[in-house]
Amino acid sequence: MDRFELRSQDFSLDEDQLAVRAAFADFFAKECPPETVRGAEPRGFDADLWGRLLTLGVGSMSLPTTAGGDDATLVDLVLIAEELGRVLAPVPLISHVVATRMLERAGAPASLISAAARGDFLVTLAHAPVTGGARQLVPDAAVATHVVALLDDKLVLLSADGPGAHVSNQGCTPLAWWRPTDGHDRTVLAAGAKAGAIHTDAVAEWRLLTAAALVGMADAALRLGVEFAKTRRTLGVPIGSLQGISFPLVDIAVGVGGTRHLVWKAAWYAQHEPGSRPELPLMAFDAASRTATHGTSASAHVHGGLGFSVEADISLYFLRAKGWSLLGGSTSANLREIGSVIAGAA
Amino acid sequence: MDFSLVELTRDQQIFQRTVRALLDEVVTDEVHEHERATGDGISVPVHLALGRHGWVMPEWPVEDGGAGLDPVCRRILELELARYQVPRIGLGTTRLVWAAVERFGSRELRERLGPGVADGSVRFCLGYSEPDGGSDIAAARVRAVRDGDHWIVNGSKLWTTGAQCCQYSFVITRTDPDLPKHKGLTMFLVPLDLPGVEIQPIMTYGGERTNAVFFGDVRVSDDQRLGEVNDGWTVLRGPLDKEHSLGPGRDVLEDLSSLRQYLRPLETALDVAVAWARDSTKPDGSGPLADAAVLERLGRAATEIELAVCTPGPLGRVKIGDVMIEQSAQLMDLVGTEALISAGADGALGHEGDIDFTHRFAQGTTIYGGTVEVFRNIIAQHDLHLPRASFPGAKVVI
């Protein structure tokens, strides 16, 4: 990478992007208040909300028009994912969209792709490549009947009659143990280098969209902390006027502002110059998982003891910062992948 | 949204080659050695060479001494100056102060100084901070008392970087101590060759030389005044707002934060650390890259740099300083003892002991142009709309 090359640094959204963001912000604000999030616990799936999202076309919008989609870009998807994260929406949108895009890229039968795009069945992806029969935790596998996995050098769609058994977890998400041997129907989607490339790209996309959701989550946690700090008083002044309170909140804002931009930039590169900066989605994910972890924790702390109680909405955010960012595996592994790209390319 | 490479026209390509050819010629090893030895923050020969091409004020029309550059060519120039590591603190302060001269100076002053600014022979530095207060500029106590068509200036300014290489300092003075804090201030462009001006160097461990500037009964002509008497705060705010990057309507070719340039040494340090990790051998024969922890630290440093580049405006001001300090220390820890070796000594890393330098340099980046705490206050009030803290003696937090 030439650090001095002359590139545009335009982080503005165009009218269509602003409209997409506004529409989904509006939808999620109306359809997913904190009671909906609490009501979906512990499995973390609101079928009604998911159904309404599907009628908006989220399952198909990012597919090519030739596959019945609208050619929505990764930039559109990160804008939507941020709004989803802002309200902690209990829907498997990220896994399902990423896995559906894998089906399309692998050239799966059109009927299968359109069924996934309509949400006739729920599909997710196994993040860790599989070489034996060892089980792994797969995000959203407690609601999905279909799992896309890289088995040795083949990309395979494995389907079962029902989803996996939910395991209780910190973030109240539909997490399940999964192994490729449990009575699944198998369809080989791709083999060899192509299979590996599709899987690698999909994992990066999942991290990118999850990063966007984590930005929304951290931003919402910040807003809760700021509103609390404006009204709560101590020693005759609002606590938000004290630098011991305001500076930690500012640091959340610094993290959110930068990470949002990094997510957008990573989405743009993945969309328009795929392959040229493969580390960017991973960087966005690393930054977002730390921004959300720090931001939700710091905001809960601003709430004092109230922020430690399950009644406070900030508790929902705190528990999902790790609850969402660790679904794809260890963040250290992600960091090592960034290091490998940097050490290979610099 | 757009991050694509800017396609250069034929003329812009020629311009880029012209800039590189000039910099190849004038930015010699001696220029870098001089900077390392003195910490001047400006290379006068390079500055004059830029001036000969109209590149000190590149957007000015050619007939005014500029080069009439379009925004793309201005950005080309900016990036090449960064690539060649041209010391350019003096360039930045000169441009900053000119913005105030242009807006508030008399026509006579503008016509007298403009050509010299453009050709590089007239350079400006900032006389803001004082020994009693750093970032609280409005607390200025340097006194200016009217004496006919002159003013008698007494007091001292601190952190006037570049004063030893500049002709004028942009000095904020107290002209009416009875008025409220922000009301009794007046700005002057004080010639530094006047009797009674004394410049004393202050060396920093960041490699930079800055100065204390003492004014003892210095007679400054009223012609050097900028703006109205006791309206100095308005004059100062113009360039300061520019420095704080609060203005809307940004040029998409420009960096998101005005202090993005401070990250450059850390980028170099990261590249040096990567080269060390790839190429060096430990006494037991193994290479650093075999250690997964090395990959993690390199990954984190690279991520934090990218994050800082993407963080906008005042948020970026805070992020850049924090990342400089944290990640330069991390790279020191990663490399270990070798990172301590000074430039020129056996085994120094990179060209100039780059990691060692960056770790020292980083400490200033949370202070330059106002401490990050000043910016955190700005963000708390303007972005988060948190209630303003009420402190005795501070009606306005800049």
Side-chain angles (χ1 to χ4, degrees):
Chain A
M1 179 179 64
D2 176 5
R3 298 191 188 280
F4 303 95
E5 64 186 7
L6 207 178
R7 281 182 179 269
S8 177
Q9 304 189 79
D10 182 1
F11 287 88
S12 65
L13 302 178
D14 65 27
E15 274 184 28
D16 291 343
Q17 290 162 339
L18 287 169
V20 165
R21 183 169 73 170
F24 279 89
D26 195 44
F27 172 85
F28 282 118
K30 279 196 188 115
E31 305 293 334
C32 191
E35 306 84 74
T36 301
V37 178
R38 286 198 165 86
E41 292 182 346
R43 194 166 60 138
F45 179 55
D46 186 316
D48 194 41
L49 182 64
W50 178 236
R52 269 172 288 151
L53 266 173
L54 285 171
T55 60
L56 294 180
V58 293
S60 61
M61 62 187 287
S62 70
L63 298 176
T65 47
T66 50
D70 302 315
D71 267 334
T73 66
L74 279 169
V75 175
D76 297 317
L77 291 183
V78 295
L79 295 175
I80 295 169
E82 180 174 338
E83 299 312 317
L84 175 153
R86 192 181 303 284
V87 300
L88 308 173
V91 287
L93 182 131
I94 293 173
S95 293
H96 186 74
V97 166
V98 170
T100 305
R101 286 161 64 85
M102 291 174 92
L103 298 178
E104 192 279 323
R105 257 177 233 160
S111 58
L112 188 71
I113 297 168
S114 55
R118 282 192 306 270
D120 292 353
F121 60 88
L122 261 167
V123 59
T124 183
L125 69 152
H127 288 242
V130 181
T131 47
R135 67 178 190 167
Q136 64 175 292
L137 287 164
V138 172
D140 300 310
V143 293
T145 50
H146 291 55
V147 176
V148 181
L150 188 65
L151 298 188
D152 299 314
D153 65 340
K154 293 188 179 65
L155 193 70
V156 180
L157 176 69
L158 297 109
S159 58
D161 293 339
H166 180 237
V167 284
S168 179
N169 62 87
Q170 186 176 101
C172 287
T173 65
L175 197 60
W177 285 107
W178 178 89
R179 72 170 80 228
T181 51
D182 303 340
H184 295 290
D185 288 336
R186 295 181 176 221
T187 310
V188 175
L189 300 167
K194 187 184 176 194
I198 291 172
H199 186 261
T200 301
D201 286 352
V203 168
E205 274 188 24
W206 186 93
R207 288 182 196 167
L208 176 63
L209 298 188
T210 300
L214 291 167
V215 168
M217 178 190 292
D219 196 16
L222 170 63
R223 300 299 141 197
L224 289 173
V226 165
E227 286 314 307
F228 188 86
K230 281 181 184 171
T231 49
R232 181 78 165 190
R233 296 178 73 84
T234 187
L235 303 173
V237 298
I239 63 170
S241 68
L242 305 174
Q243 290 172 331
I245 300 291
S246 66
F247 280 17
L249 290 170
V250 165
D251 287 341
I252 306 174
V254 170
V256 168
T259 308
R260 176 182 289 129
H261 271 168
L262 178 51
V263 166
W264 290 1
K265 184 172 175 176
W268 187 93
Y269 268 88
Q271 183 71 42
H272 298 283
E273 292 185 21
S276 75
R277 298 283 308 273
E279 75 280 17
L280 283 178
L282 314 183
M283 287 177 162
F285 182 68
D286 181 61
S289 61
R290 286 182 292 125
T291 296
T293 301
H294 162 261
T296 57
S297 169
S299 178
H301 185 70
V302 164
H303 287 72
L306 298 171
F308 196 38
S309 74
V310 294
E311 284 175 34
D313 286 345
I314 187 66
S315 72
L316 300 173
Y317 287 86
F318 169 76
L319 292 168
R320 282 159 182 78
K322 282 290 180 236
W324 289 16
S325 61
L326 294 182
L327 287 172
S330 121
T331 49
S332 295
N334 179 63
L335 209 45
R336 285 196 292 279
E337 288 174 43
I338 299 168
S340 298
V341 176
I342 297 303
Chain B
M1 195 177 300
D2 183 19
F3 301 98
S4 52
L5 279 168
V6 176
E7 278 191 42
L8 303 185
T9 63
R10 210 178 107 77
D11 285 349
Q12 288 164 346
Q13 288 172 15
I14 292 170
F15 176 75
Q16 189 176 49
R17 283 197 292 273
T18 309
V19 172
R20 287 176 182 167
L22 177 81
L23 296 182
D24 276 334
E25 181 193 325
V26 300
V27 187
T28 57
D29 288 346
E30 290 77 52
V31 167
H32 291 307
E33 277 159 27
H34 176 88
E35 179 61 21
R36 199 158 55 231
T38 65
D40 276 348
I42 183 170
S43 163
V44 172
V46 174
H47 191 86
L48 291 171
L50 295 177
R52 281 195 293 277
H53 288 75
W55 296 341
V56 170
M57 289 295 175
E59 72 276 23
W60 287 10
V62 174
E63 56 270 28
D64 293 342
L69 295 189
D70 62 47
V72 171
C73 285
R74 288 213 297 275
R75 183 63 181 168
I76 289 171
L77 178 63
E78 197 69 28
L79 287 169
E80 295 306 323
L81 292 176
R83 187 197 298 273
Y84 282 79
Q85 298 182 356
V86 173
R88 55 195 190 287
I89 295 175
L91 186 61
T93 53
T94 298
R95 288 172 176 170
L96 194 71
V97 173
W98 181 263
V101 176
E102 192 161 51
R103 205 161 133 197
F104 298 102
S106 65
R107 184 173 172 178
E108 182 276 325
L109 189 68
R110 281 181 278 134
E111 288 179 352
R112 174 154 52 88
L113 296 183
V117 167
D119 70 24
S121 61
V122 171
R123 300 175 292 274
F124 303 138
C125 53
L126 306 179
Y128 290 168
S129 297
E130 297 190 6
D132 286 344
S135 295
D136 186 7
I137 297 169
R141 289 168 61 173
V142 164
R143 203 66 174 88
V145 178
R146 197 187 261 282
D147 180 22
D149 57 1
H150 279 69
W151 295 78
I152 309 299
V153 177
N154 277 288
S156 48
K157 290 288 178 185
L158 216 52
W159 320 129
T160 299
T161 301
Q164 76 279 14
C165 302
C166 290
Q167 285 65 44
Y168 298 88
S169 183
F170 185 54
V171 178
I172 187 157
T173 67
R174 178 75 51 192
T175 37
D176 189 341
D178 297 327
L179 288 173
K181 184 176 172 183
H182 293 79
K183 303 280 187 190
L185 300 163
T186 304
M187 291 301 304
F188 293 94
L189 207 51
V190 178
L192 290 170
D193 59 357
L194 289 179
V197 174
E198 189 195 334
I199 298 169
Q200 275 189 10
I202 300 172
M203 297 311 293
T204 70
Y205 53 73
E208 175 196 307
R209 169 191 164 159
T210 184
N211 301 284
V213 178
F214 300 95
F215 302 92
D217 288 330
V218 177
R219 277 178 65 80
V220 179
S221 167
D222 188 55
D223 295 341
Q224 298 296 120
R225 174 167 51 82
L226 296 172
E228 298 303 314
V229 174
N230 292 335
D231 198 27
W233 193 243
T234 307
V235 180
L236 180 138
R237 280 303 292 258
L240 203 68
D241 285 347
K242 192 180 170 194
E243 189 170 333
H244 286 192
S245 285
L246 292 172
R250 60 176 289 274
D251 175 350
V252 298
L253 295 179
E254 284 188 0
D255 297 318
L256 278 186
S257 166
S258 60
L259 301 187
R260 188 255 177 272
Q261 56 177 332
Y262 288 147
L263 282 168
R264 295 286 183 195
L266 185 61
E267 293 175 295
T268 304
L270 173 63
D271 292 344
V272 166
V274 166
W276 166 86
R278 272 201 311 230
D279 304 335
S280 67
T281 309
K282 291 194 270 187
D284 69 2
S286 69
L289 274 190
D291 182 353
V294 172
L295 286 177
E296 288 188 28
R297 281 209 173 167
L298 292 175
R300 177 56 52 76
T303 300
E304 284 292 290
I305 290 170
E306 189 63 53
L307 187 53
V309 168
C310 289
T311 307
L315 302 175
R317 173 72 186 84
V318 173
K319 184 67 184 172
I320 286 167
D322 286 352
V323 166
M324 285 296 294
I325 287 178
E326 285 164 17
Q327 294 306 317
S328 60
Q330 288 291 321
L331 292 178
M332 292 288 286
D333 288 347
L334 171 65
V335 171
T337 320
E338 285 171 66
L340 298 170
I341 300 175
S342 306
D346 182 12
L349 293 166
H351 296 297
E352 312 191 356
D354 296 290
I355 302 178
D356 154 59
F357 168 76
T358 303
H359 176 56
R360 292 183 284 107
F361 171 79
Q363 312 307 313
T365 62
T366 49
I367 302 169
Y368 298 138
T371 68
V372 288
E373 285 72 23
V374 170
F375 285 84
R376 283 190 168 94
N377 279 330
I378 290 172
I379 296 162
Q381 288 167 27
H382 295 270
D383 290 17
L384 301 183
H385 306 291
L386 284 166
R388 173 176 288 175
S390 171
F391 300 116
K395 286 224 177 78
V396 174
V397 182
I398 55 163

